[in-house]
Protein backbone atom coordinates (compact mmCIF):
# COMPACT_ATOMS: atom_id res chain seq x y z
CA UNK A 1 0.00 0.00 0.00
CA UNK A 2 2.82 2.35 0.92
CA UNK A 3 4.70 1.37 -2.22
CA UNK A 4 1.57 2.09 -4.31
CA UNK A 5 1.21 5.53 -2.72
CA UNK A 6 4.83 6.35 -3.40
CA UNK A 7 4.47 5.15 -7.01
CA UNK A 8 1.33 7.28 -7.54
CA UNK A 9 3.00 10.30 -6.01
CA UNK A 10 5.95 10.27 -8.43
CA UNK A 11 4.26 12.09 -11.41
CA UNK A 12 2.71 14.62 -9.01
CA UNK A 13 6.21 15.57 -7.79
CA UNK A 14 7.17 16.66 -11.31
CA UNK A 15 4.19 18.99 -11.58
CA UNK A 16 4.91 20.36 -8.11
CA UNK A 17 8.54 20.97 -9.02
CA UNK A 18 7.56 22.56 -12.31
CA UNK A 19 5.04 24.80 -10.52
CA UNK A 20 7.74 25.83 -8.04
CA UNK A 21 10.14 26.55 -10.89
CA UNK A 22 7.45 28.60 -12.66
CA UNK A 23 6.93 30.54 -9.43
CA UNK A 24 10.69 31.27 -9.24
CA UNK A 25 10.57 32.47 -12.87
CA UNK A 26 7.75 34.87 -12.02
CA UNK A 27 9.86 36.18 -9.12
CA UNK A 28 12.75 36.77 -11.62
CA UNK A 29 14.93 34.33 -9.64
CA UNK A 30 16.26 32.81 -12.84
CA UNK A 31 19.28 31.02 -11.39
CA UNK A 32 17.18 28.97 -8.99
CA UNK A 33 14.44 28.47 -11.56
CA UNK A 34 17.00 26.92 -13.91
CA UNK A 35 18.18 24.60 -11.11
CA UNK A 36 14.61 23.43 -10.46
CA UNK A 37 13.86 22.89 -14.15
CA UNK A 38 17.09 20.93 -14.54
CA UNK A 39 16.12 18.81 -11.56
CA UNK A 40 12.86 17.90 -13.33
CA UNK A 41 14.77 17.23 -16.55
CA UNK A 42 17.06 14.81 -14.78
CA UNK A 43 14.29 12.70 -13.24
CA UNK A 44 11.37 13.06 -15.66
CA UNK A 45 10.92 10.83 -18.72
CA UNK A 46 7.78 12.54 -20.05
CA UNK A 47 8.74 14.28 -23.31
CA UNK A 48 6.17 17.10 -23.10
CA UNK A 49 7.28 18.07 -19.58
CA UNK A 50 10.94 17.82 -20.58
CA UNK A 51 10.49 20.07 -23.62
CA UNK A 52 8.52 22.55 -21.54
CA UNK A 53 11.32 22.64 -18.94
CA UNK A 54 13.96 23.08 -21.63
CA UNK A 55 11.93 25.96 -23.08
CA UNK A 56 11.75 27.63 -19.70
CA UNK A 57 15.47 27.05 -19.07
CA UNK A 58 16.24 28.72 -22.40
CA UNK A 59 14.01 31.66 -21.47
CA UNK A 60 15.66 31.97 -18.04
CA UNK A 61 19.12 31.98 -19.58
CA UNK A 62 18.06 34.69 -22.03
CA UNK A 63 16.57 36.81 -19.25
CA UNK A 64 19.86 36.43 -17.35
CA UNK A 65 21.70 37.63 -20.49
CA UNK A 66 23.47 34.31 -20.99
CA UNK A 67 22.47 34.21 -24.60
CA UNK A 68 24.64 31.34 -25.85
CA UNK A 69 23.19 28.92 -23.30
CA UNK A 70 19.65 30.13 -24.05
CA UNK A 71 20.09 29.66 -27.78
CA UNK A 72 21.60 26.19 -27.40
CA UNK A 73 18.67 24.96 -25.25
CA UNK A 74 16.07 26.43 -27.61
CA UNK A 75 17.79 24.96 -30.67
CA UNK A 76 17.81 21.54 -29.03
CA UNK A 77 14.04 21.77 -28.53
CA UNK A 78 13.46 23.10 -32.07
CA UNK A 79 15.39 20.14 -33.52
CA UNK A 80 12.72 17.75 -32.17
CA UNK A 81 10.40 16.58 -34.92
CA UNK A 82 7.30 15.96 -32.82
CA UNK A 83 6.95 19.21 -30.97
CA UNK A 84 3.85 21.08 -29.90
CA UNK A 85 3.18 24.23 -31.90
CA UNK A 86 3.04 26.20 -28.66
CA UNK A 87 6.59 25.20 -27.71
CA UNK A 88 7.85 25.66 -31.25
CA UNK A 89 6.93 29.33 -31.49
CA UNK A 90 8.08 30.00 -27.92
CA UNK A 91 11.54 28.61 -28.64
CA UNK A 92 11.74 30.32 -32.00
CA UNK A 93 10.85 33.59 -30.30
CA UNK A 94 13.42 32.94 -27.59
CA UNK A 95 16.20 32.42 -30.12
CA UNK A 96 15.17 35.56 -32.03
CA UNK A 97 15.09 37.68 -28.89
CA UNK A 98 18.43 36.26 -27.68
CA UNK A 99 20.12 37.29 -30.94
CA UNK A 100 18.39 40.67 -30.84
CA UNK A 101 19.48 41.43 -27.28
CA UNK A 102 22.98 40.21 -28.14
CA UNK A 103 23.20 42.88 -30.90
CA UNK A 104 22.88 40.39 -33.77
CA UNK A 105 19.66 41.58 -35.46
CA UNK A 106 20.56 39.98 -38.83
CA UNK A 107 20.46 36.56 -37.10
CA UNK A 108 17.31 37.32 -35.11
CA UNK A 109 15.09 38.40 -38.01
CA UNK A 110 14.54 34.96 -39.64
CA UNK A 111 13.55 33.44 -36.28
CA UNK A 112 11.21 36.27 -35.39
CA UNK A 113 9.57 36.20 -38.83
CA UNK A 114 9.03 32.44 -38.47
CA UNK A 115 7.52 33.05 -35.02
CA UNK A 116 5.14 35.66 -36.42
CA UNK A 117 3.87 33.09 -38.95
CA UNK A 118 3.13 30.63 -36.12
CA UNK A 119 1.80 33.19 -33.64
CA UNK A 120 1.04 36.71 -34.91
CA UNK A 121 0.54 38.20 -31.42
CA UNK A 122 1.28 41.83 -30.55
CA UNK A 123 4.64 41.21 -28.89
CA UNK A 124 5.91 39.03 -31.75
CA UNK A 125 4.93 41.63 -34.35
CA UNK A 126 6.63 44.36 -32.32
CA UNK A 127 9.76 42.18 -32.00
CA UNK A 128 9.91 41.80 -35.77
CA UNK A 129 9.54 45.57 -36.08
CA UNK A 130 12.35 46.02 -33.56
CA UNK A 131 14.63 43.70 -35.55
CA UNK A 132 13.96 45.76 -38.70
CA UNK A 133 14.71 48.91 -36.68
CA UNK A 134 18.05 47.53 -35.48
CA UNK A 135 18.88 46.72 -39.12
CA UNK A 136 18.10 50.38 -39.99
CA UNK A 137 15.13 49.33 -42.13
CA UNK A 138 12.95 52.19 -40.93
CA UNK A 139 10.10 51.74 -43.42
CA UNK A 140 9.65 48.03 -42.69
CA UNK A 141 9.90 48.66 -38.94
CA UNK A 142 7.16 51.31 -38.86
CA UNK A 143 4.98 49.24 -41.23
CA UNK A 144 5.21 46.20 -38.96
CA UNK A 145 4.48 48.24 -35.85
CA UNK A 146 1.43 49.82 -37.56
CA UNK A 147 0.18 46.35 -38.56
CA UNK A 148 0.45 45.29 -34.92
CA UNK A 149 -1.50 48.40 -33.82
CA UNK A 150 -4.19 47.87 -36.50
CA UNK A 151 -5.17 44.47 -35.09
CA UNK A 152 -5.64 45.79 -31.53
CA UNK A 153 -8.97 46.44 -29.90
CA UNK A 154 -7.73 48.23 -26.77
CA UNK A 155 -7.65 51.89 -27.84
CA UNK A 156 -5.11 52.99 -25.20
CA UNK A 157 -2.53 50.42 -26.25
CA UNK A 158 -3.39 51.05 -29.91
CA UNK A 159 -2.64 54.76 -29.48
CA UNK A 160 0.72 54.00 -27.77
CA UNK A 161 1.78 51.59 -30.51
CA UNK A 162 0.73 54.08 -33.22
CA UNK A 163 2.85 56.75 -31.53
CA UNK A 164 5.77 54.30 -31.59
CA UNK A 165 5.33 53.88 -35.35
CA UNK A 166 5.14 57.66 -35.81
CA UNK A 167 8.35 58.16 -33.81
CA UNK A 168 10.12 55.60 -36.03
CA UNK A 169 8.96 57.48 -39.14
CA UNK A 170 10.14 60.81 -37.67
CA UNK A 171 13.51 59.36 -36.68
CA UNK A 172 14.12 58.04 -40.20
CA UNK A 173 13.86 61.62 -41.48
CA UNK A 174 16.33 62.96 -38.88
CA UNK A 175 19.37 64.43 -40.67
CA UNK A 176 22.54 62.38 -40.43
CA UNK A 177 26.00 63.89 -40.26
CA UNK A 178 28.18 62.99 -43.23
CA UNK A 179 31.63 61.61 -42.28
CA UNK A 180 32.99 62.77 -45.65
CA UNK A 181 31.79 66.33 -45.07
CA UNK A 182 33.25 66.28 -41.55
CA UNK A 183 36.63 65.09 -42.88
CA UNK A 184 36.68 67.76 -45.60
CA UNK A 185 35.78 70.51 -43.14
CA UNK A 186 38.55 69.42 -40.77
CA UNK A 187 41.02 69.27 -43.67
CA UNK A 188 40.26 72.90 -44.51
CA UNK A 189 40.02 74.21 -40.95
CA UNK A 190 41.19 71.91 -38.12
CA UNK A 191 38.39 71.33 -35.64
CA UNK A 192 35.50 72.39 -37.89
CA UNK A 193 34.54 68.77 -38.62
CA UNK A 194 34.18 68.06 -34.90
CA UNK A 195 32.11 71.24 -34.48
CA UNK A 196 29.89 70.12 -37.42
CA UNK A 197 29.10 66.91 -35.45
CA UNK A 198 28.34 68.84 -32.26
CA UNK A 199 31.57 68.10 -30.37
CA UNK A 200 32.46 71.73 -29.66
CA UNK A 201 35.19 71.25 -27.08
CA UNK A 202 36.85 68.60 -29.27
CA UNK A 203 36.85 71.17 -32.08
CA UNK A 204 38.55 73.79 -29.93
CA UNK A 205 41.20 71.34 -28.73
CA UNK A 206 41.84 70.03 -32.25
CA UNK A 207 42.25 73.55 -33.59
CA UNK A 208 44.53 74.71 -30.77
CA UNK A 209 46.80 71.65 -30.85
CA UNK A 210 47.08 71.50 -34.64
CA UNK A 211 47.62 75.24 -35.00
CA UNK A 212 50.18 75.52 -32.18
CA UNK A 213 52.21 72.50 -33.30
CA UNK A 214 52.02 73.58 -36.95
CA UNK A 215 53.06 77.11 -36.07
CA UNK A 216 55.94 75.81 -33.92
CA UNK A 217 57.12 73.58 -36.78
CA UNK A 218 56.98 76.52 -39.17
CA UNK A 219 58.91 78.72 -36.73
CA UNK A 220 61.48 75.94 -36.34
CA UNK A 221 61.79 75.70 -40.12
CA UNK A 222 62.37 79.48 -40.37
CA UNK A 223 64.96 79.36 -37.61
CA UNK A 224 66.90 76.44 -39.04
CA UNK A 225 66.85 77.93 -42.55
CA UNK A 226 68.03 81.34 -41.33
CA UNK A 227 70.52 80.40 -38.62
CA UNK A 228 71.69 76.87 -39.28
CA UNK A 229 71.29 76.74 -43.01
CA UNK A 230 70.21 73.11 -42.98
CA UNK A 231 66.97 71.46 -41.95
CA UNK A 232 67.16 68.70 -39.32
CA UNK A 233 64.62 69.12 -36.58
CA UNK A 234 62.19 70.62 -39.09
CA UNK A 235 61.49 67.17 -40.52
CA UNK A 236 60.60 65.86 -37.06
CA UNK A 237 58.46 68.93 -36.45
CA UNK A 238 56.53 68.53 -39.68
CA UNK A 239 56.10 64.77 -39.10
CA UNK A 240 54.52 65.48 -35.74
CA UNK A 241 52.37 68.21 -37.31
CA UNK A 242 51.18 65.80 -40.01
CA UNK A 243 50.24 63.25 -37.34
CA UNK A 244 48.16 65.84 -35.47
CA UNK A 245 46.62 67.11 -38.72
CA UNK A 246 45.66 63.61 -39.93
CA UNK A 247 44.47 62.78 -36.41
CA UNK A 248 42.17 65.80 -36.59
CA UNK A 249 40.72 64.61 -39.94
CA UNK A 250 40.30 60.98 -38.81
CA UNK A 251 38.81 62.20 -35.54
CA UNK A 252 36.25 64.34 -37.38
CA UNK A 253 35.20 61.34 -39.51
CA UNK A 254 34.95 59.12 -36.45
CA UNK A 255 33.01 61.77 -34.52
CA UNK A 256 30.39 62.07 -37.29
CA UNK A 257 29.99 58.28 -37.43
CA UNK A 258 29.81 58.08 -33.64
CA UNK A 259 27.17 60.78 -33.49
CA UNK A 260 24.96 58.95 -36.03
CA UNK A 261 25.49 55.60 -34.30
CA UNK A 262 24.81 57.04 -30.82
CA UNK A 263 21.49 58.59 -31.89
CA UNK A 264 20.35 55.35 -33.53
CA UNK A 265 21.52 53.27 -30.57
CA UNK A 266 19.73 55.46 -28.00
CA UNK A 267 16.54 55.50 -30.08
CA UNK A 268 16.48 51.73 -30.62
CA UNK A 269 17.16 51.14 -26.88
CA UNK A 270 14.19 53.32 -26.02
CA UNK A 271 11.95 51.46 -28.50
CA UNK A 272 13.26 48.12 -27.19
CA UNK A 273 12.33 49.06 -23.60
CA UNK A 274 8.81 49.98 -24.77
CA UNK A 275 8.43 46.75 -26.76
CA UNK A 276 9.67 44.53 -23.91
CA UNK A 277 6.82 45.85 -21.72
CA UNK A 278 4.46 43.75 -23.86
CA UNK A 279 6.39 40.51 -23.38
CA UNK A 280 4.02 37.85 -21.96
CA UNK B 1 36.27 23.05 11.80
CA UNK B 2 34.88 24.02 8.41
CA UNK B 3 34.49 27.76 7.89
CA UNK B 4 31.52 28.82 5.82
CA UNK B 5 32.05 32.12 4.00
CA UNK B 6 29.46 34.74 4.83
CA UNK B 7 29.59 36.39 1.45
CA UNK B 8 28.08 34.30 -1.31
CA UNK B 9 29.89 33.80 -4.54
CA UNK B 10 29.01 36.82 -6.67
CA UNK B 11 29.10 34.77 -9.82
CA UNK B 12 27.41 31.42 -9.11
CA UNK B 13 26.74 30.72 -12.78
CA UNK B 14 28.39 27.80 -14.47
CA UNK B 15 30.73 28.70 -17.33
CA UNK B 16 28.73 29.48 -20.42
CA UNK B 17 29.10 27.27 -23.44
CA UNK B 18 30.35 29.58 -26.14
CA UNK B 19 28.81 28.64 -29.48
CA UNK B 20 30.04 31.46 -31.62
CA UNK B 21 33.77 32.05 -31.47
CA UNK B 22 35.05 34.39 -34.15
CA UNK B 23 38.28 33.26 -35.70
CA UNK B 24 40.99 35.82 -35.03
CA UNK B 25 42.68 36.56 -38.33
CA UNK B 26 46.45 36.41 -38.52
CA UNK B 27 47.87 39.90 -38.39
CA UNK B 28 50.91 40.50 -40.54
CA UNK B 29 53.28 42.67 -38.55
CA UNK B 30 56.10 44.57 -40.13
CA UNK B 31 58.97 46.12 -38.20
CA UNK B 32 57.28 49.44 -37.38
CA UNK B 33 53.98 47.81 -36.47
CA UNK B 34 55.58 45.31 -34.11
CA UNK B 35 57.74 48.07 -32.61
CA UNK B 36 54.72 50.28 -31.92
CA UNK B 37 52.72 47.37 -30.48
CA UNK B 38 55.63 46.43 -28.23
CA UNK B 39 55.91 50.07 -27.12
CA UNK B 40 52.23 50.20 -26.13
CA UNK B 41 52.55 46.89 -24.27
CA UNK B 42 55.64 48.18 -22.47
CA UNK B 43 53.71 51.33 -21.53
CA UNK B 44 50.77 49.25 -20.22
CA UNK B 45 53.06 47.04 -18.09
CA UNK B 46 55.56 49.55 -16.73
CA UNK B 47 54.02 53.02 -16.83
CA UNK B 48 50.24 52.61 -16.64
CA UNK B 49 50.42 50.12 -13.75
CA UNK B 50 52.36 52.62 -11.63
CA UNK B 51 50.34 55.67 -12.59
CA UNK B 52 47.42 57.19 -10.65
CA UNK B 53 45.97 58.80 -13.75
CA UNK B 54 43.38 56.63 -15.49
CA UNK B 55 41.88 56.93 -18.93
CA UNK B 56 38.18 57.87 -18.56
CA UNK B 57 37.23 55.84 -21.64
CA UNK B 58 36.58 52.18 -22.21
CA UNK B 59 38.55 50.77 -23.99
CA UNK B 60 41.48 52.76 -22.64
CA UNK B 61 43.63 54.83 -24.99
CA UNK B 62 46.45 52.25 -25.02
CA UNK B 63 44.11 49.36 -25.86
CA UNK B 64 42.38 51.49 -28.47
CA UNK B 65 45.75 52.38 -30.02
CA UNK B 66 46.78 48.72 -30.15
CA UNK B 67 43.53 47.78 -31.87
CA UNK B 68 43.81 50.60 -34.40
CA UNK B 69 47.45 49.88 -35.19
CA UNK B 70 46.61 46.21 -35.79
CA UNK B 71 43.65 47.12 -37.98
CA UNK B 72 44.70 50.28 -39.81
CA UNK B 73 48.50 50.47 -39.67
CA UNK B 74 51.01 52.53 -37.70
CA UNK B 75 50.40 56.02 -39.13
CA UNK B 76 46.57 55.93 -38.97
CA UNK B 77 46.71 54.16 -35.60
CA UNK B 78 49.02 56.84 -34.20
CA UNK B 79 46.87 59.65 -35.60
CA UNK B 80 43.74 58.07 -34.08
CA UNK B 81 45.59 57.82 -30.76
CA UNK B 82 46.34 61.55 -30.99
CA UNK B 83 42.67 62.25 -31.66
CA UNK B 84 41.62 60.06 -28.74
CA UNK B 85 44.17 61.32 -26.22
CA UNK B 86 44.59 65.00 -27.11
CA UNK B 87 41.30 66.06 -28.70
CA UNK B 88 38.63 64.08 -26.88
CA UNK B 89 39.47 64.38 -23.18
CA UNK B 90 37.59 67.49 -22.09
CA UNK B 91 34.67 68.45 -19.87
CA UNK B 92 32.07 67.82 -22.60
CA UNK B 93 32.69 64.05 -22.66
CA UNK B 94 30.17 63.40 -19.89
CA UNK B 95 27.42 64.84 -22.11
CA UNK B 96 28.49 63.00 -25.25
CA UNK B 97 29.32 59.48 -24.07
CA UNK B 98 27.33 56.89 -22.17
CA UNK B 99 28.58 55.28 -18.96
CA UNK B 100 29.62 51.66 -18.49
CA UNK B 101 30.71 49.87 -15.33
CA UNK B 102 34.00 47.98 -15.56
CA UNK B 103 35.17 46.21 -12.37
CA UNK B 104 33.13 48.57 -10.23
CA UNK B 105 34.48 51.71 -11.93
CA UNK B 106 32.35 53.90 -14.19
CA UNK B 107 33.97 54.55 -17.55
CA UNK B 108 32.81 56.34 -20.66
CA UNK B 109 31.60 53.94 -23.31
CA UNK B 110 33.60 54.46 -26.51
CA UNK B 111 32.94 51.07 -28.12
CA UNK B 112 31.62 51.12 -31.64
CA UNK B 113 30.32 47.97 -33.29
CA UNK B 114 32.59 47.68 -36.33
CA UNK B 115 32.33 51.33 -37.08
CA UNK B 116 36.04 52.08 -37.43
Amino acid sequence: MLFLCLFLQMPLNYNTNVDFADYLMQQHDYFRAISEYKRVLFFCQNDSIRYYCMTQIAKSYRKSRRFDSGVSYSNEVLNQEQLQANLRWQNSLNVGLAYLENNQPHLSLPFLQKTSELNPSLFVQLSVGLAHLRLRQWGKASERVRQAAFALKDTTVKAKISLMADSIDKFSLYPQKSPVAASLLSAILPGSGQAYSGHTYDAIQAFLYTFSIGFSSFALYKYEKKVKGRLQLTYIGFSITSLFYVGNIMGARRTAKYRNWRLESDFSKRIQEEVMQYEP
Amino acid sequence: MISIPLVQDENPWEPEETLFVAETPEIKTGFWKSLSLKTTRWYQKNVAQNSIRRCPFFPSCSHFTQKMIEKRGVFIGASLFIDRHFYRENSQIYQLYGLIEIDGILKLDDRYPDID
Side-chain angles (χ1 to χ4, degrees):
Chain A
M1 187 67 178
L2 181 65
F3 181 76
L4 186 65
C5 288
L6 284 170
F7 182 73
L8 284 171
Q9 216 178 18
M10 276 167 62
L12 289 174
N13 279 341
Y14 297 139
N15 286 334
T16 311
N17 285 350
V18 169
D19 289 341
F20 179 57
D22 288 342
Y23 167 76
L24 289 171
M25 272 280 281
Q26 284 171 9
Q27 301 297 314
H28 306 295
D29 191 351
Y30 301 117
F31 181 73
R32 289 172 66 198
I34 288 169
S35 303
E36 291 301 321
Y37 285 124
K38 283 187 178 179
R39 193 196 307 274
V40 174
L41 266 184
F42 184 80
F43 289 108
C44 181
Q45 302 299 321
N46 186 332
D47 278 346
S48 61
I49 296 176
R50 286 175 62 83
Y51 296 150
Y52 173 77
C53 289
M54 286 171 78
T55 307
Q56 295 296 90
I57 288 170
K59 191 175 175 183
S60 303
Y61 272 128
R62 178 179 63 83
K63 294 267 191 185
S64 314
R65 303 193 65 77
R66 299 178 74 79
F67 302 115
D68 281 347
S69 303
V71 166
S72 69
Y73 266 91
S74 281
N75 277 332
E76 205 174 319
V77 177
L78 286 171
N79 286 337
Q80 307 301 324
E81 287 176 1
Q82 291 179 350
L83 188 65
Q84 294 171 21
N86 187 31
L87 291 178
R88 191 169 289 282
W89 74 255
Q90 281 185 28
N91 281 288
S92 188
L93 176 67
N94 197 54
V95 173
L97 288 175
Y99 282 132
L100 198 61
E101 288 175 39
N102 200 30
N103 295 320
Q104 292 169 305
H106 54 287
L107 293 175
S108 74
L109 191 58
F111 285 97
L112 292 173
Q113 282 174 333
K114 192 177 171 187
T115 313
S116 71
E117 287 166 18
L118 296 169
N119 179 26
S121 63
L122 171 67
F123 178 67
V124 174
Q125 297 288 344
L126 289 177
S127 302
V128 177
L130 184 61
H132 281 301
L133 184 75
R134 297 289 292 275
L135 288 168
R136 306 178 83 245
Q137 295 166 353
W138 316 111
K140 287 184 182 176
S142 65
E143 188 189 325
R144 192 59 87 124
V145 171
R146 273 187 221 288
Q147 273 178 12
F150 184 73
L152 288 173
K153 290 177 185 173
D154 185 348
T155 49
T156 320
V157 177
K158 192 170 185 170
K160 276 186 186 172
I161 307 288
S162 302
L163 271 175
M164 197 192 295
D166 290 340
S167 66
I168 294 172
D169 284 333
K170 275 185 196 168
F171 185 79
S172 64
L173 299 171
Y174 202 75
Q176 300 238 316
K177 296 295 181 186
S178 163
V180 174
S183 309
L184 284 172
L185 283 169
S186 272
I188 297 166
L189 177 65
S192 53
Q194 281 88 338
Y196 163 73
S197 302
H199 290 220
T200 324
Y201 284 45
D202 292 5
I204 294 167
Q205 279 184 219
F207 175 76
L208 286 174
Y209 271 105
T210 312
F211 179 76
S212 57
I213 289 168
F215 184 77
S216 307
S217 302
F218 182 71
L220 184 64
Y221 159 75
K222 283 284 192 187
Y223 169 76
E224 283 197 324
K225 195 176 174 186
K226 191 176 178 182
V227 174
K228 283 190 178 179
R230 54 187 175 164
L231 307 172
Q232 286 173 325
L233 294 175
T234 305
Y235 297 120
I236 298 171
F238 277 120
S239 306
I240 295 171
T241 307
S242 63
L243 267 177
F244 275 78
Y245 179 69
V246 171
N248 146 66
I249 295 170
M250 300 297 296
R253 174 177 169 269
R254 193 164 181 262
T255 305
K257 282 188 166 184
Y258 172 79
R259 184 251 183 209
N260 295 336
W261 172 79
R262 181 79 196 274
L263 279 175
E264 283 173 19
S265 173
D266 287 350
F267 180 71
S268 62
K269 269 184 200 167
R270 193 165 57 82
I271 297 292
Q272 186 166 337
E273 278 171 16
E274 280 185 50
V275 166
M276 288 303 167
Q277 288 174 13
Y278 299 102
E279 186 174 6
Chain B
M1 191 175 165
I2 301 166
S3 64
I4 300 166
L6 291 172
V7 177
Q8 284 185 352
D9 188 11
E10 284 178 8
N11 189 13
W13 294 96
E14 71 279 11
E16 197 168 9
E17 184 188 330
T18 311
L19 298 176
F20 310 107
V21 180
E23 287 178 13
T24 49
E26 275 187 37
I27 301 162
K28 291 180 188 172
T29 49
F31 171 72
W32 291 111
K33 199 183 250 189
S34 64
L35 178 67
S36 47
L37 287 172
K38 279 178 186 170
T39 310
T40 49
R41 270 183 228 125
W42 176 87
Y43 166 81
Q44 284 171 341
K45 268 188 186 175
N46 299 311
V47 180
Q49 298 280 356
N50 301 325
S51 169
I52 295 172
R53 192 181 175 279
R54 286 281 170 266
C55 183
F57 291 104
F58 177 80
S60 67
C61 291
S62 58
H63 285 105
F64 174 79
T65 307
Q66 274 181 327
K67 187 182 158 192
M68 286 299 127
I69 288 173
E70 281 168 6
K71 250 178 137 175
R72 311 283 289 270
V74 177
F75 185 73
I76 302 291
S79 56
L80 282 168
F81 160 72
I82 283 168
D83 167 63
R84 200 25 150 75
H85 184 68
F86 291 98
Y87 302 157
R88 285 181 190 265
E89 291 188 22
N90 51 61
S91 55
Q92 205 186 16
I93 50 176
Y94 299 102
Q95 297 170 24
L96 300 170
Y97 294 90
L99 290 172
I100 184 171
E101 191 181 336
I102 306 290
D103 295 333
I105 301 169
L106 284 175
K107 296 267 185 181
L108 296 164
D109 194 357
D110 193 25
R111 298 171 297 170
Y112 303 164
D114 300 319
I115 204 166
D116 286 308

